[in-house]
Amino acid sequence: MEDFFATNNQQQIINRIFSLNLGLLCILDIDGWFKKVNISWKKTFGYTAEELSETNIVDYAHPDDRDATAFVFSELLHTSHRLTFSNRFRSKDGSYRYIDWEFNRHDNYAYVAGTDITHTKLSSAGLKEVRKHLDTNQFHSDLEHLCPTRQKILVVDDSPLNTKIMETALIEDYEVVISHNGIEALAICNSNDPPDLILLDIIMPEIDGYEICRRLNRGAKTKDIPVIFLTSLTETTDIEFGLMLGAIDYITKPFSIPIIKAKIKNHLALKYYQDTLKINTDVDQLTQIANRRHFDETMIREVKKAKRSGTILSILMIDIDHFKFYNDTYGHLEGDSCLKKVATALSNNLKRPQDLTARWGGEEFACLLPNTNTKGAQNVAEALREAIQNLSIPHESSPVSDVVTVSIGVVSSNPMDENSFDNLLKCADEALYQAKKTGRNRIATWHEDTEALEPFIKANRS
């Protein structure tokens, strides 16, 4: 009997509720692993109960929402029995839908109800003209360009009078969100729609402003949100302590509304500029997939996750065969076009939301495959090899084929040996070298059970 049912009677009640198809219902363990779902998941996202079983809800979140979703399980569920939040959840066809989630925790399980609010999002934004893009990944990019939103300010103060004053002063120019306690403020900051700036009182019950600022600075998603302390504490030591914690400014009460508005305007202008730079530094400008920096950061997180869970992490290193010959024959503009097509094909053929394709540099690409063993990684590599060959991009100067092909090196970690994670990139690169050395347009796999490179060569089946 599943241990999330305390009694037979409770099991019967849960089963009856799940059979009624009342929206999205599921049971997760405290770390986010699916234990039970109802039929609505198939209708909404395309996944069967068997496909979702023993997978983690965090892995289906949109990349921009993944840290916030993980925060729910790493922090919020351990301190709160009931919470709500929103994120974008990946469907089986690769599109994303906006979902409002309501979590109710009991012991080590969360009983979760979800509501699909995708159409509501569109309607409220007035985007009827782009509803035809609803089921495409491009939709979210279109949304950002067609519906630029006002910058959001979170006001955190346990005094309703103070929050009302600030809301009245700022609502004309900004979207204003009010919170009267620290737990709620942290949840808002870790949601998929965090504020652009926080006005934060220091003296509050339960969690004071200093501790909130400290926690925000520890979070990967929240550390770059600017914080302005707004407080009655006027001692120099208080101001110094607040700034040392990472606040960008310190305004004492009673305050001047014109001065506050001027400071907010300046800080938000700087925040917008920094956000733009951050977006640009995560994406390869030519191919529009993840760049080396993004890959490295993601790999660090996935290695930590694999070590904690004892799962296998696999890496693919991919190189376009004889790309120099291609540039020499067709020119660098055509070479750039070839790189874009290859990058798109690689990205489109990775089906799981947690998998990542990145441009490693030049004509090399890398794929990160969490929770994937050697056989699974080989299957993915072969699918990618075939996908590139099937693009049928002419390459008349290639000694390998008359179309563009790739060679792929495969390596998987040994979950019993944490040191194996340290050498993944090196082994993947050596496996790629072996694939190229033995003929190209093929796959070489580094075997984890030997110290020497004894790659499995998958011959070209074309």
Side-chain angles (χ1 to χ4, degrees):
M1 184 65 62
E2 300 283 9
D3 58 2
F4 44 80
F5 296 130
T7 66
N8 287 335
N9 186 47
Q10 287 179 337
Q11 177 188 0
Q12 293 173 4
I13 293 173
I14 291 290
N15 287 339
R16 192 176 305 130
I17 293 173
F18 270 55
S19 68
L20 292 176
N21 188 26
L22 302 175
L24 294 164
L25 299 176
C26 71
I27 298 175
L28 308 170
D29 73 9
I30 197 68
D31 295 317
W33 295 92
F34 283 101
K35 297 300 178 183
K36 184 178 180 65
V37 301
N38 68 346
I39 191 63
S40 290
W41 288 78
K42 172 69 173 176
K43 294 181 178 179
T44 304
F45 301 114
Y47 301 109
T48 65
E50 291 72 21
E51 289 173 319
L52 290 171
S53 177
E54 299 305 326
T55 64
N56 196 291
I57 192 172
V58 176
D59 293 332
Y60 295 91
H62 187 280
D64 293 340
D65 302 343
R66 202 165 294 158
D67 286 343
T69 307
F71 182 78
V72 169
F73 297 96
S74 64
E75 298 287 343
L76 299 184
L77 265 185
H78 294 275
T79 59
S80 175
H81 286 272
R82 184 178 182 276
L83 62 93
T84 59
F85 77 102
S86 301
N87 72 358
R88 287 163 288 181
F89 191 96
R90 181 187 174 105
S91 300
K92 193 171 182 178
D93 64 5
S95 63
Y96 287 90
R97 304 194 71 81
Y98 286 93
I99 306 295
D100 267 348
W101 303 104
E102 180 175 331
F103 280 65
N104 287 273
R105 180 171 67 84
H106 180 71
D107 293 332
N108 290 322
Y109 293 94
Y111 298 80
V112 185
T115 303
D116 187 347
I117 59 169
T118 309
H119 287 286
T120 304
K121 277 272 189 181
L122 290 178
S123 298
S124 63
L127 294 177
K128 296 178 181 178
E129 293 299 318
V130 298
R131 285 192 177 181
K132 61 190 177 200
H133 298 303
L134 178 62
D135 294 321
T136 67
N137 290 328
Q138 187 61 39
F139 162 73
H140 296 288
S141 177
D142 293 342
L143 182 63
E144 292 173 0
H145 292 293
L146 292 171
C147 184
T149 58
R150 297 193 301 172
Q151 289 173 292
K152 178 188 291 188
I153 297 176
L154 172 62
V155 182
V156 187
D157 196 316
D158 62 331
S159 166
L161 176 61
N162 288 341
T163 56
K164 189 62 180 178
I165 291 173
M166 296 309 305
E167 182 178 22
T168 302
L170 301 173
I171 194 66
E172 184 177 345
D173 300 312
Y174 307 102
E175 178 184 353
V176 181
V177 178
I178 303 298
S179 174
H180 293 115
N181 65 79
I183 292 292
E184 182 183 41
L186 288 170
I188 293 171
C189 293
N190 282 279
S191 72
N192 67 307
D193 190 19
D196 295 290
L197 182 141
I198 304 170
L199 294 177
L200 180 59
D201 188 24
I202 292 178
I203 303 175
M204 291 191 298
E206 296 184 18
I207 303 178
D208 64 28
Y210 289 144
E211 179 60 22
I212 293 173
C213 188
R214 197 179 282 116
R215 294 190 188 185
L216 291 172
N217 279 329
R218 288 203 301 259
K221 185 181 178 67
T222 57
K223 61 183 177 63
D224 294 325
I225 303 176
V227 174
I228 298 177
F229 279 126
L230 197 60
T231 179
S232 57
L233 299 177
T234 59
E235 294 294 329
T236 302
T237 52
D238 295 323
I239 298 174
E240 180 184 8
F241 185 65
L243 296 176
M244 287 178 62
L245 285 176
I248 60 169
D249 214 330
Y250 195 107
I251 300 174
T252 57
K253 302 174 183 178
F255 43 73
S256 164
I257 292 296
I259 290 178
I260 288 178
K261 293 177 75 171
K263 288 192 173 188
I264 287 174
K265 182 178 180 180
N266 290 339
H267 288 309
L268 284 176
L270 179 60
K271 173 71 162 49
Y272 178 80
Y273 177 71
Q274 291 172 333
D275 286 348
T276 303
L277 286 178
K278 186 177 187 298
I279 292 172
N280 289 338
T281 57
D282 284 340
V283 176
D284 178 67
Q285 295 304 298
L286 175 64
T287 61
Q288 292 301 300
I289 64 173
N291 60 12
R292 173 75 174 272
R293 175 181 176 274
H294 190 185
F295 180 92
D296 289 343
E297 291 180 349
T298 305
M299 183 175 171
I300 290 172
R301 292 197 301 270
E302 293 298 341
V303 165
K304 290 179 180 178
K305 186 188 301 183
K307 287 181 177 180
R308 285 198 307 268
S309 60
T311 54
I312 299 173
L313 177 65
S314 292
I315 291 178
L316 311 181
M317 292 296 291
I318 305 167
D319 186 79
I320 299 178
D321 294 325
H322 298 295
F323 189 67
K324 182 180 184 304
F325 293 168
Y326 187 93
N327 275 335
D328 291 343
T329 302
Y330 300 101
H332 287 280
L333 289 179
E334 283 299 316
D336 287 349
S337 177
C338 175
L339 289 170
K340 293 177 186 177
K341 292 175 182 177
V342 169
T344 300
L346 294 174
S347 183
N348 289 344
N349 279 275
L350 288 186
K351 304 301 184 183
R352 301 185 311 168
Q354 65 266 40
D355 296 339
L356 176 70
T357 307
R359 187 181 179 195
W360 188 254
E363 68 272 21
E364 280 194 330
F365 299 86
C367 295
L368 199 60
L369 308 176
N371 198 19
T372 305
N373 61 21
T374 301
K375 181 175 175 55
Q378 288 173 344
N379 290 337
V380 172
E382 177 62 10
L384 296 180
R385 188 196 67 78
E386 290 182 355
I388 301 306
Q389 185 167 271
N390 291 340
L391 291 174
S392 299
I393 303 172
H395 192 350
E396 63 183 36
S397 55
S398 172
V400 177
S401 172
D402 57 358
V403 297
V404 168
T405 59
V406 294
S407 299
I408 305 178
V410 180
V411 65
S412 301
S413 65
N414 180 353
M416 304 302 293
D417 178 13
E418 289 196 356
N419 293 327
S420 71
F421 291 96
D422 300 333
N423 298 314
L424 282 177
L425 291 174
K426 179 175 180 288
C427 295
D429 193 57
E430 292 188 19
L432 172 61
Y433 172 78
Q434 191 69 18
K436 292 160 66 174
K437 179 181 177 182
T438 54
R440 301 180 189 256
N441 191 21
R442 60 188 63 204
I443 301 162
T445 303
W446 175 283
H447 280 296
E448 60 189 49
D449 56 351
T450 60
E451 294 183 1
L453 178 63
E454 296 177 3
F456 163 76
I457 304 297
K458 195 157 192 172
N460 176 11
R461 297 205 296 256
S462 61

